[in-house]
Amino acid sequence: MLFSRKFSTYSIKMIQTTLSGNKDWLNEDIEKKIGTDSIFSEPIPKEIKDNLNPNFPLREYQEKAFQMFISYFEKYQEKPIPKAVLFNMATGSGKTLIMAGLINYLYKKGYNNFLFFVNSNNIIGKTKENFLDQSSIKYLFNEKIVIDGKPIQIRRVDNFDSSNKDEINICFTTIQKLHSDMHNEKENAVTFDSFKDKRIVLIADEAHHGQIQTKQKTLTNKPNWENTIEEILKKDKQSLLLEFTATMGFETNPGVKEKYLKRLLYKYDLPSFHQAGFSKDIELFRVDGDKRYRMLTAVLVNQYRQDVASKYAKEFSESQGLKNFKPVIMFKAQKEIEESKQNELDFRRLIDNLSNKDIEEIKRKSNEKIMKKVFEFYDKEKISISDLVKKIQRGFSEKNCLNVNETNLDNKNINQKDKEEVISQEKILNSLESANNNIRAIFAVQKLNEGWDVLNLFDIVRVSDKQAGGGGYKGKVSQSTISEAQLIGRGARYYPFVLDETQDKHKRKFDEDAQKELRILEELYFHSWNDSSYIADIKNAIREELGIDLDDVEEKELNLKEDFKKTSFYKIGIIYLNKKIKKDYSKIKSFADMDFTQKNEEYEIYSGKGKVSDALEFKDEKYDNLNLAKSIKTISLKDTNKHIIKNALSKIDFFNFENLKQIFPNALNSMNDLIDKKEFLAGINIDFKGTREDLENISNKHKLEAVLKLLNKIKESLERTRVNYVGSEFVKQEKISKIFGNKILKLNKKDERCDGMEDFVRDKGWYVFNANYGTDQEKFLVKYINKFVNSSNVDAFEEIYLLRNELHFKIYDFDDGQAFAPDFVLFMKSKKGKSVTYQIFIEPKGTHIEAGDKWKQDFLVKIKEKYEKQGLNKFVETKNYRIIGLPFYNQQKENEFEKELSEELSL
């Protein structure tokens, strides 16, 4: 097939053209023209939310990705034809889940043909499993996909010639095969004509591979991956290209930046992902030792990690993710498969012949902080060196190790036996987190650098002690080192776990407490030999490829002042907290108890009549040009045939009895109770609006549609008000000495928090810590409190202490149990009359994030109102204690804050 000269020139011009004089990125332009409030206040459509696997609840940034696309698709007026957008999202951020949600959304919008392509057969296999295999732990869709009340099937197709318009048709291919098929016609393969006059959604994963023409800055007539995709996209004006990648390279290639200026729809890169707590921290562990010694130190760290998880799984019965925790270690060869095979042989000899003496040598020689933690842990837990050897030999036995350097599926000459072996390996690699997958060690070269989704990779060992080219920090970093940095980015995916239900299992929990033993489960270790030139190279590669500067991380000690620890307040003082508890639904006896109080639902029956009239004919505004008289006929659901109601209930999964029983455990004993009781459906009427003719004989079809309309309203209302947890009252007493202690914080050197105000707080007896590693508003608050405690207004108080809360404690919203850690708690004790201790929660907040955290301010106000309304005895056990929540502190509103504080203290 000849390639059109006209096409290639047009395509590149189309790629590189931007709006005249407008250099905003697409996402910035959308936010300017539509407004962030409008974009991000839109609810996620139920065709997305209801049809994704409930085991993968949407995170905030994923919801924003959907909201950006919906605003672009439905509201943005400057979309090009055809449409093409890029999601630049970090490895591990759930790009494939976004794809699945967009498939559901676009099906609703009339698209039913989807072409998924990527550069690797390995990724194709993984994606097929995620999209098609309901038995997979990574299957992305809900068990049933229902759109507009109809069940929808996902169908894998080889082309779109016989696609089913009532199904989601997905064709999976590599970009290499797609390109070949386009230019070398084959039977049953997709061709350019397959896309003509058909609305196709093209989904490009690892899209940075498809930029060869743009990166080379050429207007070539030669067919290539990039202009093949652009040609397909032009075959129908309604077709749409969705591109996904973590590393597009805007910063290093002006041509790529120019192309994507009007395509970058959503950006959530690794620095953002990491800063929000969704990825592991990266630690470089360099060891001055031979290959065998370095392998063993990595194994010890890995085993320590597993034993820490096992310890806390036993201590915390409510923990999740720890019981079957299995950390994986990867031994990375530099270039050759033979090198990787040798690594496996060396490792096998090491483990099979491991002795007490080998480990004792490391214990004696090592001076690294992590190795000291390892051996302190085993000493404390009374696990002997002999027992440790047995654990390692059992965990890293030959059957628990895997070499993945066999023939790749992309190899055209692969035979059937090798193909089956590779497919089997890929299934193992795609299920490493599974409880019945015992693989602990993997040996590889390049095969797993892309498309490998694994959460429990915690150690990567660069076994070689050879420099792979490059020239140090300022020299050119080798491609091998860049690949290692990219692999580190893949390994940084966070392994989800919680100790109890108060924690977010997808986020780091110990940034504010780096000495905690469980911190090791939030760290990825990259083990290498101790060579300063290589360390500079890998740091530079991580900085350039991942956007993370490891040299910017600094540990800060937050310590209680020794003088404070001598006070009676520290030794015997109390802080009142609340708990996150399961909501008690035993007293929920009606829809009204769940805030659904509607008693009438209107349903209009359209007559179908019409009339043609003169557009210039004037009539007064009261004139009804159809002369239709419509009235209302009210029918109670208790008088509606049960089979109609039951039919409607069966069409909405929410109304299955098991689900309803969880909300109304003591009110419903059967579905008949839901239908017959006046507290539920029997107490609701349908107001049918229509002509006399229509109302005299309302069809069962209209009755069914009316009931469905009502049921969907009830469903949305109950889903809105239904919560699993609430916050208890503040009856939990804890000693100050138990809750507040020293911590090690990991901070970015460039962050404003790194300035701890040490000089300012050093002589302030009311400030109990040695530093305040807070934001600008948190620092302003400390300075304000200094003025406040030195004013004559507080002469009536003693024992004034401001305690910074670096996740020392959390409190829980009364309504939904959402966790909140106020930045400060202020204690003041009155001198006059009956001694009263005031416990005041304070949260400084910048104006730019007030709106997003409004629920926290509402909660603080609820604390005060609940206390005032119920009376002290209902709230805490003593009349000598007052618990207060104040509105946010902000320096610009300091006078308002002071007024609130003074009123609460009766100043």
Side-chain angles (χ1 to χ4, degrees):
M1 184 180 290
L2 295 176
F3 197 74
S4 163
R5 179 186 301 271
K6 179 181 177 183
F7 156 67
S8 70
T9 304
Y10 169 81
S11 289
I12 296 302
K13 285 183 178 178
M14 182 184 76
I15 289 169
Q16 294 179 341
T17 297
T18 58
L19 296 177
S20 176
N22 186 349
K23 292 296 182 182
D24 283 337
W25 292 93
L26 172 63
N27 57 336
E28 296 170 339
D29 197 47
I30 292 172
E31 289 179 356
K32 279 183 182 179
K33 288 175 176 159
I34 298 178
T36 54
D37 288 346
S38 174
I39 295 168
F40 299 123
S41 62
E42 286 293 323
I44 303 301
K46 61 182 180 180
E47 58 265 23
I48 294 177
K49 186 173 59 176
D50 292 354
N51 291 313
L52 293 175
N53 190 329
N55 291 324
F56 306 130
L58 292 176
R59 302 172 189 172
E60 182 182 5
Y61 66 84
Q62 292 168 331
E63 291 187 346
K64 286 186 175 181
F66 286 126
Q67 289 165 326
M68 281 296 290
F69 182 82
I70 292 166
S71 292
Y72 166 82
F73 193 82
E74 298 182 6
K75 301 178 183 178
Y76 188 59
Q77 299 300 314
E78 298 174 29
K79 293 187 288 291
I81 297 176
K83 299 178 282 292
V85 295
L86 170 70
F87 293 83
N88 180 203
M89 298 178 69
T91 297
S93 61
K95 295 188 292 292
T96 320
L97 187 67
I98 300 296
M99 295 177 199
L102 291 177
I103 286 173
N104 291 328
Y105 172 79
L106 289 168
Y107 179 87
K108 164 87 171 176
K109 296 298 180 181
Y111 291 83
N112 67 313
N113 293 324
F114 300 85
L115 176 66
F116 176 92
F117 58 94
V118 71
N119 68 305
S120 164
N121 264 311
N122 296 331
I123 303 176
I124 289 290
K126 176 207 73 172
T127 308
K128 284 180 182 176
E129 184 177 335
N130 294 349
F131 279 4
L132 305 173
D133 184 1
Q134 290 198 15
S135 66
S136 170
I137 61 171
K138 296 185 179 180
Y139 181 67
L140 296 171
F141 295 97
N142 208 337
E143 187 177 348
K144 289 182 183 177
I145 298 175
V146 179
I147 297 175
D148 289 337
K150 297 177 181 177
I152 307 298
Q153 299 297 319
I154 297 178
R155 182 168 171 250
R156 178 190 165 194
V157 297
D158 293 323
N159 57 57
F160 300 114
D161 292 339
S162 59
S163 62
N164 188 326
K165 65 181 179 63
D166 295 323
E167 296 179 332
I168 293 171
N169 307 282
I170 308 179
C171 177
F172 298 90
T173 185
T174 62
I175 192 169
Q176 297 95 320
K177 185 176 186 303
L178 179 64
H179 175 71
S180 175
D181 289 345
M182 292 299 100
H183 300 285
N184 302 282
E185 291 189 4
K186 303 173 190 173
E187 188 177 356
N188 293 327
V190 288
T191 66
F192 281 122
D193 287 339
S194 300
F195 301 100
K196 190 174 181 181
D197 300 326
K198 289 180 182 174
R199 294 201 300 179
I200 307 288
V201 180
L202 292 84
I203 303 175
D205 198 8
E206 305 292 351
H208 55 281
H209 287 291
Q211 314 305 320
I212 183 171
Q213 196 163 318
T214 299
K215 287 179 178 178
Q216 292 178 358
K217 303 178 184 177
T218 57
L219 292 174
T220 179
N221 295 328
K222 184 178 179 181
N224 59 62
W225 295 353
E226 184 173 1
N227 54 31
T228 293
I229 298 305
E230 297 297 332
E231 174 76 349
I232 292 171
L233 190 59
K234 288 196 311 172
K235 288 297 179 180
D236 188 289
K237 290 182 179 180
Q238 295 301 314
S239 285
L240 171 64
L241 173 62
L242 308 176
E243 295 184 281
F244 295 83
T245 185
T247 53
M248 185 53 83
F250 307 121
E251 298 80 4
T252 56
N253 192 300
V256 172
K257 179 178 179 181
E258 186 74 6
K259 173 180 175 178
Y260 284 96
L261 199 65
K262 290 303 165 192
R263 290 191 178 188
L264 178 61
L265 178 68
Y266 190 66
K267 185 177 178 68
Y268 195 75
D269 54 13
L270 187 57
S272 304
F273 192 58
H274 178 265
Q275 186 176 6
F278 287 112
S279 70
K280 302 183 187 99
D281 268 345
I282 299 167
E283 300 287 344
L284 297 184
F285 185 13
R286 42 187 166 171
V287 175
D288 184 23
D290 61 17
K291 175 178 173 179
R292 185 177 184 279
Y293 189 91
R294 283 183 279 117
M295 280 183 163
L296 185 52
T297 56
V299 167
L300 283 166
V301 172
N302 192 269
Q303 186 62 42
Y304 162 66
R305 190 179 279 108
Q306 184 179 54
D307 290 333
V308 166
S310 178
K311 169 187 172 180
Y312 284 89
K314 293 173 184 174
E315 288 185 14
F316 290 83
S317 58
E318 294 182 15
S319 67
Q320 297 176 25
L322 299 180
K323 184 178 180 182
N324 296 308
F325 177 77
K326 173 184 59 73
V328 172
I329 183 168
M330 179 180 179
F331 294 94
K332 175 79 166 61
Q334 191 175 335
K335 290 182 178 179
E336 303 296 332
I337 289 178
E338 289 306 314
E339 177 192 350
S340 182
K341 289 181 177 178
Q342 186 60 50
N343 289 340
E344 185 180 14
L345 289 172
D346 293 341
F347 182 76
R348 194 72 270 131
R349 281 193 292 267
L350 168 65
I351 298 301
D352 292 344
N353 299 308
L354 189 63
S355 68
N356 291 10
K357 184 179 177 182
D358 296 324
I359 294 180
E360 286 165 352
E361 180 188 10
I362 292 179
K363 185 175 183 180
R364 184 177 68 255
K365 286 183 176 180
S366 182
N367 64 347
E368 273 290 328
K369 187 189 300 182
I370 179 59
M371 297 312 297
K372 289 181 178 178
K373 279 187 177 181
V374 168
F375 290 112
E376 285 173 2
F377 171 82
Y378 286 118
D379 287 343
K380 185 175 70 174
E381 298 300 316
K382 295 182 171 47
I383 297 173
S384 68
I385 298 293
S386 297
D387 288 339
L388 182 54
V389 169
K390 291 174 186 175
K391 278 174 175 279
I392 291 172
Q393 289 181 325
R394 187 165 55 247
F396 292 93
S397 63
E398 187 172 0
K399 66 180 181 180
N400 293 340
C401 301
L402 181 67
N403 191 306
V404 295
N405 292 304
E406 300 305 322
T407 307
N408 197 297
L409 281 176
D410 296 324
N411 188 334
K412 294 180 181 178
N413 299 317
I414 186 171
N415 61 48
Q416 186 61 32
K417 183 179 178 183
D418 286 344
K419 185 176 182 179
E420 290 173 0
E421 176 67 22
V422 173
I423 291 172
S424 174
Q425 280 190 1
E426 287 180 356
K427 286 185 176 179
I428 293 171
L429 289 171
N430 205 29
S431 63
L432 281 172
E433 301 98 338
S434 175
N436 57 7
N437 184 321
N438 296 316
I439 296 299
R440 287 287 300 277
I442 291 172
F443 298 85
V445 184
Q446 300 290 342
K447 186 173 179 179
L448 302 178
N449 284 3
E450 279 189 345
W452 185 34
D453 298 333
V454 62
L455 305 178
N456 58 336
L457 176 64
F458 283 92
D459 295 277
I460 301 172
V461 184
R462 188 189 193 274
V463 183
S464 174
D465 56 5
K466 295 177 182 177
Q467 181 75 347
Y473 184 79
K474 295 185 178 179
K476 184 178 179 182
V477 178
S478 72
Q479 184 57 46
S480 176
T481 306
I482 290 172
S483 295
E484 287 164 357
Q486 291 170 343
L487 179 61
I488 288 170
R490 303 204 74 78
R493 293 165 181 255
Y494 189 79
Y495 179 86
F497 73 94
V498 292
L499 292 179
D500 56 52
E501 291 168 331
T502 68
Q503 297 177 324
D504 183 340
K505 69 186 210 176
H506 297 290
K507 279 189 170 185
R508 295 193 305 274
K509 301 149 189 67
F510 304 107
D511 285 2
E512 319 293 332
D513 205 354
Q515 75 266 39
K516 284 279 189 184
E517 286 177 341
L518 280 168
R519 175 67 179 175
I520 192 69
L521 272 66
E522 301 185 331
E523 296 171 330
L524 170 74
Y525 273 69
F526 184 78
H527 305 257
S528 75
W529 92 110
N530 187 31
D531 178 86
S532 58
S533 178
Y534 172 73
I535 295 300
D537 272 1
I538 189 64
K539 283 185 177 181
N540 196 31
I542 291 170
R543 185 183 300 111
E544 294 299 321
E545 292 297 313
L546 307 183
I548 294 175
D549 192 337
L550 298 181
D551 289 332
D552 280 348
V553 179
E554 184 175 357
E555 287 192 350
K556 293 283 191 178
E557 291 187 9
L558 183 71
N559 297 324
L560 289 168
K561 293 175 180 175
E562 291 302 319
D563 286 346
F564 173 69
K565 288 161 73 173
K566 296 174 184 175
T567 64
S568 60
F569 179 76
Y570 173 74
K571 293 176 182 177
I572 62 173
I574 294 294
I575 181 172
Y576 281 88
L577 302 173
N578 73 336
K579 302 178 193 176
K580 182 177 181 178
I581 58 175
K582 286 194 173 183
K583 181 175 174 65
D584 180 9
Y585 281 93
S586 63
K587 296 179 182 178
I588 303 295
K589 301 292 180 65
S590 66
F591 284 153
D593 289 341
M594 291 293 289
D595 294 336
F596 184 83
T597 55
Q598 184 177 333
K599 292 298 181 183
N600 289 70
E601 174 66 26
E602 183 176 292
Y603 178 85
E604 184 168 2
I605 302 173
Y606 295 103
S607 69
K609 296 178 180 178
K611 179 180 179 181
V612 177
S613 58
D614 188 341
L616 300 178
E617 182 182 6
F618 175 78
K619 297 288 182 183
D620 69 54
E621 59 187 19
K622 295 181 180 179
Y623 177 71
D624 177 356
N625 71 338
L626 286 178
N627 293 313
L628 291 177
K630 289 194 173 184
S631 57
I632 300 291
K633 180 177 181 179
T634 299
I635 298 178
S636 172
L637 286 187
K638 73 178 187 319
D639 298 325
T640 302
N641 288 335
K642 274 191 180 182
H643 76 270
I644 293 176
I645 299 174
K646 287 182 176 180
N647 188 9
L649 288 167
S650 70
K651 291 180 180 295
I652 304 175
D653 282 346
F654 178 85
F655 289 100
N656 69 76
F657 184 68
E658 290 74 18
N659 185 49
L660 294 173
K661 190 70 174 171
Q662 292 176 18
I663 307 174
F664 308 103
N666 294 333
L668 297 179
N669 293 313
S670 69
M671 291 300 286
N672 286 332
D673 287 343
L674 179 71
I675 298 170
D676 296 336
K677 285 188 173 183
K678 68 181 188 312
E679 293 84 3
F680 297 103
L681 293 178
I684 303 176
N685 304 315
I686 305 286
D687 294 332
F688 289 94
K689 181 180 180 181
T691 63
R692 185 176 66 181
E693 179 184 354
D694 287 330
L695 294 180
E696 283 176 352
N697 188 23
I698 300 172
S699 69
N700 284 348
K701 178 175 180 275
H702 284 310
K703 289 178 180 178
L704 176 64
E705 288 177 353
V707 175
L708 280 170
K709 183 185 175 191
L710 171 66
L711 290 178
N712 276 308
K713 273 193 178 180
I714 295 172
K715 170 181 177 283
E716 290 170 8
S717 176
L718 296 183
E719 284 180 332
R720 230 178 5 254
T721 55
R722 180 183 186 178
V723 295
N724 293 323
Y725 297 93
V726 294
S728 71
E729 294 188 350
F730 278 70
V731 294
K732 179 184 175 186
Q733 297 182 34
E734 295 285 2
K735 284 189 174 181
I736 296 292
S737 57
K738 178 183 176 182
I739 297 297
F740 293 92
N742 299 341
K743 287 199 172 190
I744 295 176
L745 313 180
K746 296 191 79 166
L747 303 174
N748 190 306
K749 290 178 183 176
K750 298 174 184 175
D751 194 323
E752 62 182 348
R753 291 187 60 196
C754 248
D755 173 13
M757 303 178 71
E758 289 90 345
D759 291 339
F760 181 82
V761 301
R762 183 173 290 116
D763 61 348
K764 309 297 187 291
W766 51 267
Y767 189 81
V768 307
F769 283 105
N770 66 320
N772 173 30
Y773 298 113
T775 63
D776 61 342
Q777 292 301 323
E778 289 159 15
K779 290 179 171 68
F780 288 139
L781 183 277
V782 171
K783 290 180 179 178
Y784 165 74
I785 295 295
N786 184 56
K787 288 187 295 182
F788 181 73
V789 299
N790 287 302
S791 68
S792 58
N793 288 338
V794 296
D795 287 345
F797 293 90
E798 60 185 355
E799 290 191 347
I800 301 174
Y801 295 109
L802 182 68
L803 284 78
R804 177 161 178 77
N805 177 27
E806 289 283 3
L807 293 184
H808 290 92
F809 68 87
K810 294 178 184 177
I811 55 179
Y812 303 95
D813 189 279
F814 296 128
D815 295 334
D816 59 12
Q818 193 168 354
F820 170 36
D823 290 316
F824 296 93
V825 57
L826 175 65
F827 290 91
M828 302 177 68
K829 188 175 181 180
S830 62
K831 295 178 184 176
K832 297 179 181 177
K834 270 194 172 180
S835 176
V836 176
T837 297
Y838 293 82
Q839 176 183 311
I840 307 170
F841 296 118
I842 302 175
E843 175 80 356
K845 192 69 62 180
T847 52
H848 63 293
I849 54 175
E850 276 187 8
D853 280 348
K854 182 178 179 297
W855 73 270
K856 295 180 180 178
Q857 176 158 274
D858 293 342
F859 177 35
L860 291 171
V861 172
K862 277 187 281 188
I863 290 174
K864 181 183 73 170
E865 290 176 349
K866 189 177 181 78
Y867 167 79
E868 291 172 344
K869 192 179 294 183
Q870 290 192 348
L872 203 54
N873 288 330
K874 295 274 287 183
F875 206 51
V876 296
E877 293 178 357
T878 169
K879 290 185 179 181
N880 298 330
Y881 222 92
R882 287 196 59 192
I883 301 171
I884 299 168
L886 292 177
F888 289 155
Y889 167 87
N890 183 277
Q891 188 196 29
Q892 296 175 0
K893 305 173 185 176
E894 200 168 87
N895 290 339
E896 296 173 30
F897 179 85
E898 182 164 12
K899 182 181 177 184
E900 289 275 353
L901 178 58
S902 297
E903 285 179 0
E904 292 302 324
L905 296 173
S906 303
L907 297 179

